[in-house]
Amino acid sequence: MAEINVTPMVDVMLVLLIIFMVAAPLLTVGVPIDLPQTQASAVNQDNKEPITLSVRPNGQIYLGDSEIKYEDLVSKLQAVTQARGGFEERIFVRGDKNANYGQIMRVMGRLSGAGFKKVALVTEVEQGG
């Protein structure tokens, strides 16, 4: 009488499911930002990981996970994009919905003035109607 006992396998799978459910929210982009919601369609992306700038409600600016000063924004971005694609590199600006609109526009204006051509704002998909 040869049977396969699947109970231990089911137990292991349920434990793994719980672990992944708990770990998945921790894998988001480093800086916690409360993004605004819109009905805009998604931007077509190429396979490369875009550069992410985050603007917190208190005006702090982050390049990836590290905080940078507004004055150093262009020089640090140019150093990062030099090896990746220059001014054609895609840059995503993640502005918290409680951040000052003027601060976000200052960052975008600085990027545009420096010559970066592919700058986009990141939002969440609007829930409900």
Side-chain angles (χ1 to χ4, degrees):
M1 180 91 172
E3 301 183 357
I4 297 176
N5 188 359
V6 295
T7 305
M9 184 181 73
V10 170
D11 291 343
V12 169
M13 290 298 144
L14 287 175
V15 169
L16 288 175
L17 176 66
I18 291 170
I19 290 171
F20 288 131
M21 286 174 45
V22 169
L26 302 175
L27 299 177
T28 59
V29 176
V31 181
I33 297 279
D34 190 14
L35 294 173
Q37 296 181 355
T38 63
Q39 294 180 355
S41 60
V43 176
N44 292 336
Q45 278 189 350
D46 43 5
N47 293 336
K48 289 195 305 186
E49 184 72 23
I51 297 171
T52 305
L53 280 175
S54 302
V55 181
R56 304 275 316 256
N58 57 4
Q60 293 173 315
I61 302 170
Y62 288 83
L63 176 58
D65 293 336
S66 59
E67 184 177 359
I68 60 172
K69 294 180 181 172
Y70 177 75
E71 297 79 26
D72 300 334
L73 179 64
V74 173
S75 61
K76 294 217 178 187
L77 266 178
Q78 286 176 340
V80 169
T81 59
Q82 208 69 26
R84 293 183 62 165
F87 292 112
E88 293 295 325
E89 185 67 27
R90 181 167 297 281
I91 301 172
F92 285 169
V93 178
R94 302 172 66 237
D96 191 290
K97 68 180 178 182
N98 296 319
N100 185 342
Y101 179 73
Q103 179 70 20
I104 297 170
M105 289 301 105
R106 254 180 78 200
V107 169
M108 291 192 69
R110 186 85 181 242
L111 296 175
S112 178
F116 292 102
K117 297 177 175 85
K118 295 184 176 182
V119 180
L121 288 171
V122 178
T123 61
E124 290 181 341
V125 177
E126 191 171 32
Q127 302 296 320

